[in-house]
Amino acid sequence: MKRALVIVAFVVGTPVASAFSQTTVSYSASVTSANGADAAVFTAGSGLNFSYTLNPGVADTNGDPSAGVFPNAVLSLSLSFPGLGVSATAGAAGPAQTFDNFVDTGGSWSDQVFIIGGPISSASLLAGAAIESVEVDFLSGFLVPPNEPLLLTSDALPLAHLSGAEDFVIFHTAHGDTFVHFQAAAAPVVHVTANGQDDLVVLAPGDPLDVKIGFDAGPSGVVNPAQVYVGVLTPFPPFVFWRNQSGNFVSSATPTILYTGALPSFPLTTLVSLPDSAVLPVGSYYWFMIVDDDNNGVLDGKFHDFVQTIVSPPTP
């Protein structure tokens, strides 16, 4: 599970730390239905924009490997229904909860994610009542084993876009709870793998290393404009090396832009291929790719992914 983002942030300094020490996930969606106290306010087809910022450094306080509890991990949660005049922003800090392969009393299982906003910092009224709290929930389908839900692969705090079988916003006011169900548009996704794995790979002497990067631009097929950064965090000084346009990994006091322009989807493509990983010094490496949807020359960390590889010492 990808909980090592906070380590990356700690080591590499301000420019990359700002991208990894917190993660903002943004969505454009449309309302499919609503139920509850003020459901009549929301009509199918209405637009919804929302985003939340998570702190990847918050530890899971629940020892159950299939259920995660992350106190104060939600640094902000902002929702807006532009055509309906309804909006709300929650500040720091609310909890997040995850359930991976959660088995219900009927024997079916599902994946579930709850993003719960902190205290409301600003909001419109909802049917004349003050919005007291907001929450966004993502639920997979409830499946019967051996069919397995795929919304989550672990109980770790999810830092990428989510799309469940049932996704909804919960507003609480003095009138009660209102559930607004929505369908989110697919967002761009960055992929980084090592030896076909997307999490942690431990390499013994003699093991090969094949790091690949890929990009899914979403329904449009292209992100324009875009800025791409690719690099590796190493166990030796100066620690961070950026891939430049000549195809070399170089150290730099500021992030090095690999590419600027329209970025279409592309399949997993080899970034580094070593027949024997033992040519690398022993230690932990984080290979990362970051894509921003602008061309302002500033690393924002809008879409990113990484994979950790550990080069093991020779056996005595």
Side-chain angles (χ1 to χ4, degrees):
M1 47 186 86
K2 296 195 174 182
R3 294 180 178 172
L5 285 170
V6 68
I7 301 173
V8 178
F10 177 75
V11 174
V12 302
T14 303
V16 178
S18 62
F20 288 105
S21 61
Q22 61 183 39
T23 297
T24 298
V25 188
S26 302
Y27 298 79
S28 294
S30 58
V31 175
T32 56
S33 64
N35 61 283
D38 293 311
V41 173
F42 301 94
T43 54
S46 298
L48 162 63
N49 299 316
F50 70 95
S51 65
Y52 49 80
T53 299
L54 303 175
N55 179 358
V58 174
D60 181 358
T61 60
N62 187 356
D64 185 339
S66 65
V69 176
F70 303 89
N72 302 320
V74 183
L75 302 180
S76 67
L77 171 59
S78 179
L79 307 102
S80 175
F81 297 80
L84 303 177
V86 176
S87 63
T89 298
Q97 292 181 273
T98 61
F99 296 90
D100 178 41
N101 292 351
F102 173 77
V103 180
D104 65 17
T105 55
S108 62
W109 57 359
S110 66
D111 293 344
Q112 304 177 24
V113 179
F114 306 147
I115 305 295
I116 303 168
I120 298 294
S121 57
S122 64
S124 67
L125 297 178
L126 177 56
I131 296 173
E132 299 173 357
S133 66
V134 290
E135 176 178 339
V136 179
D137 293 351
F138 301 87
L139 279 64
S140 74
F142 288 78
L143 305 179
V144 177
N147 297 312
E148 185 174 358
L150 299 176
L151 179 64
L152 299 175
T153 57
S154 74
D155 70 339
L157 187 66
L159 304 177
H161 285 79
L162 298 167
S163 181
E166 186 176 357
D167 306 328
F168 50 90
V169 174
I170 305 175
F171 289 104
H172 182 74
T173 71
H175 299 162
D177 289 331
T178 301
F179 299 81
V180 185
H181 300 260
F182 63 85
Q183 183 173 14
V189 178
V190 176
H191 300 283
V192 182
T193 66
N195 293 359
Q197 304 298 312
D198 63 0
D199 199 341
L200 170 64
V201 178
V202 178
L203 301 165
D207 286 347
L209 173 61
D210 185 24
V211 179
K212 295 180 182 290
I213 58 174
F215 183 65
D216 181 352
S220 68
V222 64
V223 172
N224 187 20
Q227 286 180 172
V228 180
Y229 306 81
V230 172
V232 57
L233 171 65
T234 73
F236 51 85
F239 300 112
V240 183
F241 294 84
W242 302 90
R243 182 73 172 259
N244 65 17
Q245 295 180 359
S246 299
N248 300 314
F249 284 92
V250 297
S251 62
S252 173
T254 58
T256 299
I257 299 173
L258 175 61
Y259 172 80
T260 299
L263 182 65
S265 299
F266 64 89
L268 285 170
T269 304
T270 296
L271 173 68
V272 171
S273 182
L274 300 174
D276 186 350
S277 58
V279 299
L280 295 173
V282 170
S284 185
Y285 295 76
Y286 295 86
W287 310 86
F288 60 86
M289 175 177 171
I290 302 168
V291 176
D292 287 343
D293 56 355
D294 56 40
N295 57 3
N296 62 4
V298 178
L299 191 157
D300 301 315
K302 185 66 176 289
F303 311 108
H304 60 264
D305 192 25
F306 75 99
V307 66
Q308 181 186 8
T309 59
I310 298 177
V311 178
S312 304
T315 302

